[in-house]
Amino acid sequence: MIVASPQELKAALPRHFRLMGLDLGEKTIGIAVGDPGHMIATPVTTIRRKKFSEDAQQLLKLIDDRQVGGLVIGLPLNMDGSEGPRCQSVRQFANNLAKLRDLPMAFWDERLSTVAVTRDMISADLSRGKRAKIVDESAAAFILQGALDSLGR
């Protein structure tokens, strides 16, 4: 079930379950998980994309292992706020996943999330190789943290 906001997502979330953040790229899926109190997002891993069925299988295993009850999915809006082909792809992924598992899902504006995360990693003097390994899961944590912060307001 796709809901309109993080507030609706939290209301639909089973008690004591976590939220998972997804940064869906063309080649990878960055994954982050929130704590049970819905305060802090932590980067978890990055899945190298193959076919939807394989990607979904890995994702559903992580959802089960981490006691995830809902998803915050980054929506790659254009800078003017409009939706392009990448948004359609993300929405289709969410719809296909919803057919496999009844999980509440909400979209979150992910504009500039990778840029912000990369800037922070550069200022922390991480090597290019280290940044490449963790940028997608860090972007997922950035997306999820934005949604979690909105819940606290």
Side-chain angles (χ1 to χ4, degrees), residues 21-109:
L22 302 180
D23 180 26
L24 295 170
E26 292 180 14
K27 297 178 182 177
T28 60
I29 302 172
I31 300 169
V33 175
D35 66 302
H38 309 273
M39 302 290 285
I40 300 169
T42 304
V44 174
T45 192
T46 300
I47 294 174
R48 285 247 162 252
R49 294 192 75 172
K50 295 177 181 131
K51 294 189 306 186
F52 172 77
S53 58
E54 292 177 49
D55 299 345
Q57 184 179 21
Q58 288 184 64
L59 192 55
L60 292 172
K61 181 172 178 5
L62 283 167
I63 286 168
D64 293 339
D65 291 349
R66 304 272 179 160
Q67 295 183 310
V68 170
L71 302 176
V72 174
I73 302 172
L75 194 62
L77 298 171
N78 294 323
M79 291 309 290
D80 65 1
S82 65
E83 292 192 16
R86 289 286 308 129
C87 285
Q88 291 173 330
S89 174
V90 167
R91 288 186 186 281
Q92 187 61 53
F93 184 95
N95 286 328
N96 290 342
L97 192 60
K99 293 174 186 172
L100 298 176
R101 178 77 57 92
D102 185 24
L103 276 175
M105 302 178 204
F107 295 108
W108 188 258
D109 181 354

Side-chain angles (χ1 to χ4, degrees), residues 128-149:
R128 186 179 301 256
K130 179 75 170 166
R131 290 192 314 259
K133 289 180 183 175
I134 63 171
V135 69
D136 296 312
E137 61 203 60
S138 297
F142 186 88
I143 291 163
L144 180 56
Q145 191 64 56
L148 293 175
D149 289 349

